[in-house]
Amino acid sequence: MKNVAIIGAGTMGNGIAHTFAQNGFKVNLIDVNNDALKKGIQTITTNLDRMVNKEKISETEKSTTLSNIKTFTNLKNGVSKADLIVEAATENLELKLKIFKDIDEACLDSAILATNTSSISITQIAAATSNPERVIGMHFMNPVPIMKLVEIIRGYNTSDVVTNSIMALSKTLGKEPVEVNDYPGFVANRILMPMLNESIETLYNGVAGVYEIDTVMKLGMAHPMGPLQLADFIGLDVCLSILNVMYEGFKNPKYAPCPLLVNMVRAGKLGVKSGEGFYDYTESRKAEKIAKQFIKA
């Protein structure tokens, strides 16, 4: 398994492409938007430059990594010879179902189809294909090149062969794969998102301010990033989407998104990506630089 196709050149997609390419895989990075592909490659290049400056990799390794990546705007051409296809598009069920239907018609019969979804049912996504046994979840954590965890989610029909293959493959990437079952939010977001939502509720109810809530969690619970800052970093639209999936899946009011979160997303205040969320990222420095101070790059 040496040829990998990644669908989606956004934050998660380019991070996954970077990780595979740095570990010697030939990567086809696919996006319908050519500007998104250019931005994705630039992000990978910037991250590799940072690694060179920190002497974690050499200039030769950087060049080799970049040479391992080709870009495509045509999905059929990008996936036709791939051994593994990882979908990392927007967290939208209808979009994912369409992508998997299109992949299924264009890829090799032997290809494994993976989705980086953080909350949507693998079983439901697999149902859009002719062979659900080869569909599996690979939920990478952001930032992908740094974070060790990969949640491996089996759908109802995912085969043992596919599961074992993806578990072993994840280890070759230097990751720690953890197998979980196919329920809304899986493990990571089933636990994380209610905490973020409750933090937003705490702000909404006037218990404390943004800075105070984040400070309590950072200093009192030893969290590296406060929950409201983390929500900004993830993207408030992404948080809302995941909570909605969990609420629909469980029909439990504890997963219902806070009205404040809903209104902020409606107003376009999405966090780091829009320049404003619970914090204002527009005044003193670029949003990415502010976010990076809370993670070790």
Side-chain angles (χ1 to χ4, degrees):
M1 192 184 297
K2 276 297 183 184
N3 298 309
V4 179
I6 312 296
I7 300 174
T11 300
M12 295 305 295
N14 71 61
I16 296 168
H18 173 161
T19 300
F20 273 102
Q22 192 175 332
N23 284 277
F25 291 83
K26 299 298 182 182
V27 177
N28 290 349
L29 182 59
I30 306 162
D31 200 294
V32 294
N33 188 324
N34 196 51
D35 288 339
L37 287 169
K38 290 178 180 177
K39 184 177 179 182
I41 295 297
Q42 182 56 55
T43 297
I44 294 169
T45 303
T46 299
N47 290 335
L48 289 169
D49 284 337
R50 188 179 301 112
M51 296 177 77
V52 171
N53 291 337
K54 293 187 175 184
E55 299 183 344
K56 292 184 177 180
I57 63 171
S58 66
E59 282 285 355
T60 300
E61 288 171 309
K62 170 194 165 183
S63 297
T64 300
T65 298
L66 290 172
S67 70
N68 282 337
I69 304 173
K70 294 181 179 179
T71 59
F72 292 79
T73 54
N74 183 287
L75 184 142
K76 182 177 180 179
N77 292 341
V79 305
S80 62
K81 296 181 180 179
D83 303 308
L84 169 66
I85 302 159
V86 183
E87 171 272 319
T90 305
E91 196 74 347
N92 177 285
L93 175 60
E94 295 306 317
L95 175 61
K96 290 184 186 294
L97 292 178
K98 182 181 186 310
I99 288 173
F100 270 81
K101 183 177 183 298
D102 291 344
I103 295 170
D104 188 57
E105 294 171 354
C107 71
L108 298 170
D109 290 340
S110 58
I112 294 175
L113 313 185
T115 172
N116 183 58
T117 181
S118 59
S119 60
I120 296 172
S121 167
I122 307 304
T123 303
Q124 191 172 8
I125 291 173
T129 72
S130 60
N131 183 7
E133 291 186 356
R134 64 172 172 170
V135 180
I136 194 165
M138 287 186 81
H139 179 209
F140 291 86
M141 303 294 123
N142 184 31
V144 180
I146 298 168
M147 299 294 280
K148 291 292 186 181
L149 175 66
V150 183
E151 277 188 307
I152 306 298
I153 308 102
R154 295 183 64 141
Y156 187 82
N157 293 303
T158 306
S159 72
D160 290 340
V161 171
V162 166
T163 302
N164 293 337
S165 177
I166 293 301
M167 290 287 285
L169 174 67
S170 299
K171 292 177 182 178
T172 69
L173 298 174
K175 304 300 185 185
E176 292 289 341
V178 176
E179 184 181 337
V180 304
N181 291 320
D182 187 18
Y183 291 94
F186 316 132
V187 172
N189 280 325
R190 183 168 180 172
I191 294 170
L192 174 63
M193 285 300 154
M195 184 192 77
L196 299 187
N197 197 43
E198 190 61 30
S199 301
I200 299 169
E201 285 278 0
T202 303
L203 176 66
Y204 181 58
N205 293 329
V207 178
V210 171
Y211 172 80
E212 289 76 14
I213 292 168
D214 277 354
T215 299
V216 167
M217 296 304 290
K218 286 192 287 185
L219 300 185
M221 312 302 168
H223 290 194
M225 185 187 298
L228 299 177
Q229 275 174 334
L230 179 56
D232 274 355
F233 183 68
I234 293 169
L236 301 190
D237 54 336
V238 175
C239 293
L240 178 60
S241 176
I242 294 170
L243 284 165
N244 280 332
V245 167
M246 294 170 66
Y247 181 62
E248 287 299 317
F250 291 115
K251 304 298 183 185
N252 189 323
K254 75 178 181 179
Y255 299 115
C258 175
L260 175 59
L261 174 62
V262 175
N263 281 338
M264 290 179 72
V265 172
R266 285 174 178 166
K269 296 183 178 182
L270 309 181
V272 171
K273 70 174 76 176
S274 69
E276 185 179 2
F278 293 106
Y279 293 85
D280 187 345
Y281 301 92
T282 59
E283 292 183 0
S284 59
R285 60 178 76 180
K286 290 183 179 179
E288 288 132 5
K289 289 185 178 178
I290 291 182
K292 284 169 189 171
Q293 69 179 301
F294 301 108
I295 58 174
K296 292 183 179 179

